[in-house]
Amino acid sequence: LGSNLDDPRRQVEKAFRELAGLADTRLVLRSGLWRSVPMGPQHQPDFINAVAGLLTLLKPRAFLENLRLLERRMGKVEPAVRWGPRLIDLDLLMVGDACCDEPGLRLPHAGLHQRNFVLYPLAEIAPMLWVPDHGRVCSLLERVQGDGIEPLVARNTGA
């Protein structure tokens, strides 16, 4: 989850509440909130990021479609530039040990193993999680820099 517009903390917290209400899905874990510098153009506000652990009966593509619908309901419009500012961004990082590389759906998420704004919050809730083709989250975290990221609210609890 990520946002850097219109009170990003509020946007991410709202996204957690909305995720908890998705049909056939249960929010079971959530990380704390993390402030991170933008990955793309630097002339934009910092992001607030977090990670959710969900159980769902939905297939990956159907779940991703639900995430896209949720983004639109929350007011997301595509940024004018790649990695530009956004109201809300919900990415599907993993679905168990599934590997998939289809148009519009790549599992695990292409940047998961390299992005500190994903790995730091993910390590809070699932440090031993195995990321297919990459290794455990705790090991991946050791390979990324901690520059430009800081915790805002530590949770490390269930939803």
Side-chain angles (χ1 to χ4, degrees):
L1 299 86
S3 173
N4 72 338
L5 296 175
D6 193 20
D7 192 354
R9 282 185 187 203
R10 183 174 56 84
Q11 298 299 334
V12 171
E13 290 293 348
K14 180 180 179 186
F16 273 126
R17 290 191 302 275
E18 294 289 332
L19 287 169
L22 286 177
D24 298 320
T25 301
R26 182 173 171 211
L27 176 65
V28 293
L29 292 169
R30 57 170 286 178
S31 73
L33 303 179
W34 291 77
R35 178 187 324 271
S36 63
V37 296
M39 185 171 82
Q42 297 299 296
H43 58 280
Q44 61 179 312
D46 285 349
F47 277 84
I48 300 300
N49 296 103
V51 172
L54 300 136
L55 295 175
T56 186
L57 298 174
L58 301 174
K59 300 283 186 205
R61 177 128 351 239
F63 185 74
L64 182 61
E65 289 171 10
N66 278 334
L67 292 180
R68 297 296 166 251
L69 287 170
L70 176 54
E71 287 176 330
R72 287 193 294 277
R73 276 199 323 263
M74 289 184 66
K76 179 179 180 174
V77 294
E78 289 302 315
V81 296
R82 185 173 189 202
W83 296 324
R86 63 203 76 148
L87 184 67
I88 192 68
D89 192 37
L90 303 174
D91 287 334
L92 180 56
L93 300 176
M94 292 181 56
V95 177
D97 60 358
C99 292
C100 174
D101 193 359
E102 301 172 359
L105 178 62
R106 185 164 177 196
L107 295 172
H109 188 283
L112 184 158
H113 65 287
Q114 300 169 316
R115 297 178 179 167
N116 66 3
F117 60 88
V118 174
L119 290 170
Y120 274 81
L122 186 55
E124 270 188 62
I125 64 171
M128 299 308 290
L129 180 68
W130 181 263
V131 179
D133 297 328
H134 297 292
R136 296 208 184 278
V137 169
C138 57
S139 296
L140 297 172
L141 184 63
E142 293 173 359
R143 298 181 203 154
V144 298
Q145 299 294 318
D147 300 340
I149 186 164
E150 65 179 342
L152 297 182
V153 179
R155 287 190 55 110
N156 201 17
T157 62

